[in-house]
Every structure is written in structure tokens, then in C-alpha cells.
């Protein structure tokens, strides 16, 4: 019995394949966001590691001997840790005197900037007087003037006043800074005028209004200005090197540069130990005031 051939299936009778359903748009956006965040974390981590690497090398090198630091190939972890470098700084090189000089200078410079920059910023932000715009323009111009340009005129002035090799010579030229004035002005401009006018109606004078109303509201920018000023004064090297002419007036950066270099070359262990002793107070101050520093930067619009 013959079997009939199967009837060919028409193309119209075939079931078309179902295309894959594309992922929902929110899921695709979430996936791209995760990839972007991962890449951002990776880049930030690499940048943080590159920034931290010199400090790790400095801390490890401060407990190494001179021979181990000069050895090739280099070794990261100290093979024979020693505290001789720190002991020399604390006993033989009169570290307490240099630390006291740096601290006194930095403390008075910070205090002066907090008071005078706040006063100038308040006047530029909330008071009307002739030449106000010209004065603020001058402040902005001074931000663009390099500090080395004023070194010679400042030294001539200090020398004519007979203040060379004294604390006033190290302190007075830095009691106010254009950056501090700009920082405080930007923040004080955000204080409501109604609050100040209400204090004036109650009979408060300008000084009382400033110290009792405006200054208590300036916590974050004051902390930011204090940290920036302390860093600048603590790390200042060129001006103390010029003005301080005897060892009893040396600050830490000057002592570090002079005592870490001898006739036989650079004492790298001594140099790194001194750097650790200089950086430690700065790190402690920043950790204590970090929250206020971030708030001050955010609220004053500094990028």
C-alpha cells in the first residue's frame, strides 16, 4: 500500500520565533549605575593608594638605619627597626624648642586670621561704605599675587623696624590673608539681613553685633579657615628661613632642612623621622576638625 507524501507546511502556518524580551529600562539603568560606581571606586582607590604610598614609605623609613635606606634593591619593611632617628630629634637636636616656636607662631597666626579675616569679611558682606567694591577687588587681586613677590619688601620692612629674629617678624606679616577674607565674606553673605537688623533695632552696636550674633554662626568657616591657616603657618619654610637667624628661633621646617643634611650627605632616616614629627600634629588637628572643615567648604562655595 502506497503512502502519500507529507503535505508541505506553508510558510504562513509556521510559528514565528519569539524574539528575546529586552531588559526593562530601569534594570538597564541600574546595571549601568553599578558599573559606573564600581569604576569610580576603583579609580578613587588607585588614586588614594598613590597618594598614601609616599607617606607609608616615609613612616617605614623613619625606623630604618641609614645603611638600609641606601641598600639596593630597596626593602619596604624594616629589617632592623630602630628609634634612633626619633631619639636624636628629641634629645640631641632640641626638638622641643623648634616645636614650641612652630606652635607659638601658628597659634598666633591662626588667632589673628580668625579675628581679622572675620571682621573684614563682615564689613565687606554686611556694611556699606565708600570704596567697598574697590576693596573687595583688591582682595581678589591679592589672591593671584604669588607670596614670593612680597618676600623682599616684607624683609626690608621688618629689618627697618628692628624685628629680625623675633616672634613678631614671624607672626605679623601673616595675621590676615586674602583667602581668609574671601572665605568669611562668602559665608557671612548668607546670614539673613533680618537677623542683623533685629539686633540693631535692639540697640546692638557693630562690635557687639559681630561678636554676639555673627561670629557664633560662623563655626564651619572658622574651622576651615583655622585648618588652612594652621597648615600654611606650620609648613611655612621660606620666610622663617630668612627671618630666623639663630637656632633658638628656628621652626620645625627650617630645622628639618638644616639638620638632615651634613657634610657626608643627606641623613634620610633623620629626615623622615623629622617629617613624621612635623606631620603628626597636622593629622591630629584635621581628624578633630574634619567635620567642620567639610561643612565650611560646602557652605562657602569653594570648589
Amino acid at each position: 500500500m502506497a503512502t502519500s507524501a507529507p503535505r508541505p507546511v506553508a510558510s504562513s502556518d509556521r510559528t514565528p520565533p519569539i524574539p528575546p524580551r529586552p531588559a526593562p529600562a530601569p534594570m538597564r539603568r541600574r546595571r549601568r549605575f553599578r558599573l559606573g560606581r564600581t569604576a569610580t571606586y576603583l579609580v578613587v582607590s588607585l588614586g588614594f593608594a598613590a597618594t598614601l604610598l609616599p607617606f607609608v614609605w616615609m613612616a617605614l623609613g623613619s625606623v630604618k638605619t641609614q645603611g638600609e635606606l641606601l641598600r639596593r634593591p630597596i626593602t619596604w619593611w624594616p629589617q632592623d627597626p630602630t628609634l634612633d632617628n626619633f631619639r636624636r630629634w628629641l634629645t640631641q637636636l632640641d626638638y622641643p624648642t623648634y616645636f614650641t616656636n612652630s606652635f607659638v607662631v601658628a597659634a598666633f597666626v591662626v588667632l589673628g586670621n580668625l579675628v581679622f579675616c572675620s571682621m573684614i569679611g563682615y564689613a565687606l558682606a554686611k556694611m556699606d561704605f565708600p570704596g567697598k567694591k574697590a576693596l573687595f577687588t583688591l582682595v581678589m587681586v591679592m589672591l593671584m599675587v604669588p607670596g614670593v613677590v612680597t618676600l623682599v619688601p616684607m624683609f626690608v620692612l621688618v629689618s627697618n623696624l628692628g624685628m629680625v629674629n623675633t616672634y613678631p617678624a614671624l607672626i605679623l606679616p601673616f595675621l590676615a590673608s586674602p583667602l581668609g577674607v574671601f572665605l568669611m565674606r562668602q559665608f557671612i553673605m548668607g546670614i539673613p539681613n533680618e537677623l542683623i537688623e533685629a539686633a540693631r533695632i535692639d540697640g546692638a552696636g557693630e562690635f557687639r553685633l559681630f561678636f554676639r550674633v555673627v561670629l557664633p554662626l560662623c563655626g564651619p568657616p572658622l574651622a576651615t579657615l583655622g585648618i588652612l591657616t594652621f597648615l600654611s603657618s606650620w609648613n611655612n619654610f621660606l620666610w622663617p628661613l630668612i627671618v630666623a637667624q639663630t637656632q633658638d628661633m628656628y621652626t620645625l621646617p627650617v630645622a628639618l632642612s638644616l639638620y638632615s643634611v651634613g657634610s657626608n650627605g643627606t641623613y634620610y632616616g633623620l629626615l623622615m623621622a623629622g617629617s613624621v614629627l612635623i606631620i603628626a600634629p597636622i593629622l591630629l588637628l584635621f581628624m578633630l576638625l574634619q567635620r567642620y572643615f567639610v561643612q565650611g567648604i560646602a557652605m562657602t562655595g569653594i570648589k
Side-chain angles (χ1 to χ4, degrees):
M1 177 178 178
T3 58
S4 60
R7 184 175 63 88
V9 180
S11 60
S12 59
D13 295 336
R14 293 179 186 154
T15 303
I18 300 176
R21 181 177 299 177
M27 185 179 297
R28 292 198 301 269
R29 286 196 297 267
R30 195 178 302 115
R31 191 176 302 162
R32 286 197 298 267
F33 174 76
R34 290 173 181 168
L35 292 175
R37 184 170 59 180
T38 302
T40 302
Y41 286 162
L42 180 61
V43 172
V44 171
S45 300
L46 292 176
F48 177 74
T51 304
L52 193 63
L53 192 62
F55 294 96
V56 174
W57 173 254
M58 177 189 66
L60 295 176
S62 64
V63 294
K64 291 181 180 180
T65 61
Q66 180 77 356
E68 186 175 354
L69 286 169
L70 297 177
R71 186 181 306 167
R72 295 295 181 271
I74 63 173
T75 57
W76 276 89
W77 194 256
Q79 298 180 357
D80 298 312
T82 178
L83 296 177
D84 288 342
N85 298 318
F86 291 98
R87 191 177 297 112
R88 287 190 61 188
W89 272 108
L90 298 176
T91 57
Q92 301 178 18
L93 301 182
D94 203 8
Y95 173 81
T97 299
Y98 309 139
F99 179 87
T100 302
N101 292 337
S102 292
F103 182 79
V104 169
V105 172
F108 277 98
V109 170
V110 169
L111 182 62
N113 275 266
L114 294 182
V115 175
F116 296 124
C117 291
S118 300
M119 288 183 173
I120 301 172
Y122 168 71
L124 292 175
K126 297 298 182 182
M127 298 177 66
D128 293 324
F129 55 89
K132 174 181 174 179
K133 292 184 178 179
L135 181 59
F136 181 67
T137 302
L138 180 62
V139 172
M140 298 303 295
V141 170
M142 289 300 297
L143 283 172
M144 298 181 286
V145 177
V148 294
V149 175
T150 61
L151 282 179
V152 174
M154 279 198 307
F155 181 78
V156 172
L157 179 61
V158 168
S159 179
N160 291 335
L161 293 175
M163 294 190 303
V164 176
N165 202 41
T166 61
Y167 279 125
L170 295 170
I171 296 172
L172 291 179
F174 306 100
L175 284 181
S177 64
L179 178 61
V181 173
F182 175 76
L183 179 72
M184 297 307 301
R185 175 193 179 267
Q186 293 301 107
F187 181 84
I188 295 175
M189 284 186 64
I191 298 177
N193 293 327
E194 293 78 8
L195 185 62
I196 297 177
E197 293 299 329
R200 287 199 179 105
I201 293 174
D202 290 340
E206 292 298 334
F207 279 98
R208 184 179 179 186
L209 192 154
F210 173 74
F211 285 105
R212 300 292 296 274
V213 178
V214 175
L215 206 58
L217 298 175
C218 297
L222 286 176
T224 303
L225 178 59
I227 293 176
L228 294 177
T229 306
F230 184 85
L231 289 174
S232 176
S233 179
W234 188 266
N235 295 326
N236 193 5
F237 169 72
L238 192 55
W239 179 250
L241 179 65
I242 297 173
V243 175
Q245 299 182 354
T246 57
Q247 294 185 12
D248 59 335
M249 291 302 300
Y250 285 171
T251 58
L252 280 173
V254 176
L256 179 65
S257 67
L258 296 181
Y259 288 111
S260 59
V261 179
S263 57
N264 296 325
T266 302
Y267 299 99
Y268 294 103
L270 197 64
L271 179 65
M272 294 183 185
S275 300
V276 171
L277 293 174
I278 292 177
I279 292 175
I282 298 176
L283 293 179
L284 179 62
L285 178 67
F286 183 78
M287 286 188 294
L288 292 176
L289 300 177
Q290 179 183 8
R291 179 167 60 91
Y292 299 101
F293 179 77
V294 174
Q295 289 179 2
I297 292 294
M299 298 177 70
T300 52
I302 294 181
K303 304 299 182 183

